[in-house]
Amino acid sequence: MATLTTISPTSCSSLFPFRSQPSPFILTADPSIAPKSGRPPQTLASPRYSHFRRFLVAAQPVFPTSSALVSSVDDLFEFICTGPLLQRMGFTAESVAEGIDKWLLCGGYLCRLFGLNELQLTAPEKARVYHFYVPVFLWCEKQIERHVLGFRDAEEVAPPLVIGISAPQGSGKTTLVFALEYLFRRTGRNAATLSIDDFYLTADEQANLRSQNPGNALLEFRGNAGSHDLQFSLDTLTALKELTKAGMKMKLPRYDKSSHGGRGDRADPSEWPEVEGPLTLEIVNRNLEAYYDAWDRFVNSWIIIKIKDPSYVYQWRLQAEVAMRNDGKPGLSDEEVLDFVSRYLPAYKAYLPTLYSEGPRDFVKERLLIIDIDEERNPISEN
């Protein structure tokens, strides 16, 4: 499963007065197709942080102006500094303090997006926002800055940055990309998202593939290598990379998993969303190794969501199908979910150990972020 997001950055006239920033493009993928950190609390004796805290009291009336405010901001700062992703992203207590306004601003955006009370977050909600979504967004921002610098002296406009997200189905990548795209748009960047799922064969094409391969369980349903329209995906990704000027538009394909009783089909083009350039970011999900030449060559940076046990996917997929049925959409039965996921597991077991130990092919260390998650999809310290 994959999701692609492209984002167009705000102008940075102070650095590049004659060049617009590239948009990020995020593509997420299911790799089957291709708590606290334990560190001691960080000191809060940062003059920058103390200055910001005074500023927050004066400029953010949404918070109480009593001493409880100082305590709550202190607590939140300390909570952020215990995040399991912080160190591997290169953040320190000082850098968090220096940019705490951005952390709180993004956290507030996400709370409103998901309908949460930012003053009364539960522990899981606070972890999901400040240990997961916000730091990943800030890491993506750093990737965009690095990408833009690479084109600083070039004559052409920088193309969209492509970030690949590799994660098993049901692991929360769709929600992560949804949060990232929202934050990019709220901070002035133009984003577009695609999923590798969007390039599944149509229902008729999948039926034809099934009839041509009788008895092959891996090709009976969508999901495994061979069930995607590779040429269609290449044409779409190439066109998105060239969406660098204002006024340029294109439609992004979408796949309807609820169609045909949960077997799925490509949505009608009239339902495809339209994006307009210039784009800043693309996010691509990594799939089977067989698809390397088709998709990976588009990717600039990688986010890999790592799970300890592939069997988590059973429960996650079941939860997704139940939610779909509760929304009044056709979905797979519990038995069908078990059968559906079982077709992915051989690829997971063969592919994931190498991906986790060696990373994507030809990756650059500074452009790779590995996120370990638990069964509840929360980030944890590295396994």
Side-chain angles (χ1 to χ4, degrees):
M1 184 180 301
T3 302
L4 170 66
T5 300
T6 62
I7 302 173
S8 185
T10 56
S11 63
C12 50
S13 56
S14 60
L15 295 177
F16 315 107
F18 304 110
R19 196 184 316 280
S20 63
Q21 295 184 33
S23 300
F25 175 68
I26 304 175
L27 173 62
T28 62
D30 188 330
S32 71
I33 312 173
K36 294 189 177 180
S37 67
R39 292 184 286 112
Q42 303 285 346
T43 176
L44 302 185
S46 166
R48 295 189 184 92
Y49 176 67
S50 300
H51 170 76
F52 167 74
R53 189 172 63 188
R54 291 194 297 271
F55 168 79
L56 181 67
V57 174
Q60 300 286 342
V62 67
F63 290 94
T65 55
S66 66
S67 59
L69 165 66
V70 174
S71 175
S72 65
V73 176
D74 278 348
D75 291 345
L76 182 56
F77 174 77
E78 184 173 344
F79 179 80
I80 290 173
C81 289
T82 64
L85 302 181
L86 217 61
Q87 187 172 6
R88 72 183 72 172
M89 288 180 174
F91 292 117
T92 63
E94 184 177 65
S95 66
V96 171
E98 195 171 57
I100 191 66
D101 54 340
K102 188 72 171 286
W103 285 81
L104 296 184
L105 180 67
C106 292
Y109 285 152
L110 291 178
C111 287
R112 289 186 282 279
L113 174 66
F114 294 115
L116 305 175
N117 184 337
E118 57 191 298
L119 297 179
Q120 297 180 346
L121 293 175
T122 65
E125 291 169 347
K126 190 162 62 169
R128 188 62 62 87
V129 171
Y130 291 104
H131 282 178
F132 197 177
Y133 298 154
V134 173
V136 170
F137 168 72
L138 296 177
W139 181 85
C140 290
E141 288 269 272
K142 290 167 65 175
Q143 295 300 305
I144 295 173
E145 293 172 3
R146 182 192 299 269
H147 181 70
V148 170
L149 285 174
F151 289 85
R152 184 173 184 178
D153 298 323
E155 293 297 327
E156 73 274 16
V157 175
L161 170 72
V162 180
I163 297 180
I165 299 182
S166 175
Q169 57 176 302
S171 58
K173 59 184 172 294
T174 299
T175 306
L176 171 62
V177 171
F178 177 64
L180 291 176
E181 183 179 8
Y182 179 78
L183 288 176
F184 279 120
R185 292 190 180 280
R186 288 304 304 258
T187 54
R189 300 185 187 275
N190 187 23
T193 65
L194 274 178
S195 169
I196 285 181
D197 292 359
D198 295 323
F199 301 112
Y200 280 138
L201 299 174
T202 65
D204 289 342
E205 291 169 339
Q206 184 65 42
N208 185 52
L209 179 67
R210 184 165 53 249
S211 66
Q212 293 177 354
N213 297 271
N216 188 336
L218 296 180
L219 295 178
E220 187 173 354
F221 301 110
R222 69 180 190 267
N224 284 300
S227 61
H228 297 82
D229 188 333
L230 287 183
Q231 189 58 53
F232 181 38
S233 71
L234 286 173
D235 293 343
T236 302
L237 292 173
T238 300
L240 272 171
K241 289 285 286 185
E242 296 173 353
L243 209 66
T244 58
K245 298 180 181 179
M248 300 176 66
K249 299 179 181 180
M250 67 174 290
K251 283 197 167 187
L252 302 180
R254 289 294 183 258
Y255 191 85
D256 182 2
K257 295 180 181 178
S258 67
S259 181
H260 296 276
R263 286 179 175 260
D265 195 3
R266 192 173 299 157
D268 188 274
S270 64
E271 300 176 9
W272 297 359
E274 185 176 71
V275 294
E276 182 175 353
L279 292 175
T280 307
L281 175 67
E282 302 182 35
I283 303 182
V284 180
N285 259 340
R286 181 168 180 112
N287 227 310
L288 284 181
E289 196 68 11
Y291 291 175
Y292 172 82
D293 290 332
W295 288 320
D296 286 19
R297 62 189 175 89
F298 287 94
V299 179
N300 303 112
S301 302
W302 280 105
I303 297 174
I304 295 177
I305 297 179
K306 180 180 176 182
I307 59 174
K308 183 177 182 180
D309 186 352
S311 66
Y312 292 168
V313 174
Y314 281 118
Q315 186 61 33
W316 291 341
R317 186 73 221 177
L318 182 61
Q319 292 170 353
E321 294 297 328
V322 169
M324 193 179 299
R325 296 198 296 265
N326 289 341
D327 285 341
K329 299 178 180 179
L332 300 177
S333 66
D334 294 1
E335 294 75 16
E336 289 172 327
V337 169
L338 181 64
D339 178 65
F340 183 78
V341 172
S342 67
R343 300 169 192 271
Y344 283 88
L345 287 185
Y348 283 141
K349 293 177 180 178
Y351 175 65
L352 289 180
T354 300
L355 175 65
Y356 293 161
S357 63
E358 300 179 8
R361 187 185 300 180
D362 301 328
F363 79 96
V364 178
K365 183 178 180 181
E366 292 75 16
R367 295 181 178 274
L368 172 66
L369 174 62
I370 297 179
I371 302 172
D372 296 79
I373 63 171
D374 60 20
E375 194 170 1
E376 300 301 320
R377 306 181 186 87
N378 291 316
I380 56 175
S381 299
E382 187 174 0
N383 291 325

